[in-house]
Amino acid sequence: IATPPIDRLVTKTVIIPYDEIIIRDALMREHFRGSQSFYVVPRISDIEEIVSRLKIIVPELTFAVAHGRMLPSEIDQIMNDYYDGKFDILVSTTIIESGIDIKTANTMIIHKAEMLGLSQLYQLRGRVGRSKLRGYVYLTIEQDKTATKESMKRLELISSIESLGGSFSIASHDMDQ
């Protein structure tokens, strides 16, 4: 459990205030590396706003949306198309939290990351960097709102774990909460 696959690199995780310039740079960098990105949104109601923003900040990239209110057949088709590289960004809720192994997905933007729990953040982070390329996770927080002390502790903890196989450390901290 504590031993990562050969050649696996640690995923770099950073906390940032929502910034469209940084998000554009991250998504475009991944595109130019020949890889794909996830854009995770905690609430289905926020997806439309994110899709509108993405059309403006990265008009040259393609994307699709997946969430739990869609028909399973729709989600399956979207996931197959994403796996096949038919689009650059998958905008989704946390439904991608587990069971997804897409080696070409190496960047993840998590919108309003302060809304998610420690184990969710850890599981989501594990969806990227599953190949020989380094994975990047951007935990965005709302600029005009103050995250709670507890949520900031969670974000700081997840971004500070620099070792592969850090799930025991996460579980220990999660039990302390």
Side-chain angles (χ1 to χ4, degrees), residues 12 22 29-30 51 55 60 67 107 110 126 164 166 168:
K12 179 80 175 143
I22 295 171
R29 183 194 69 237
E30 200 58 54
V51 166
K55 286 178 181 177
E60 55 271 80
H67 57 76
T107 290
I110 302 179
L164 293 163
F168 180 76

Side-chain angles (χ1 to χ4, degrees), residues 19-26 57:
D19 183 320
E20 290 183 349
I21 294 170
I22 295 171
I23 290 169
R24 176 180 167 72
D25 286 348
I57 64 173

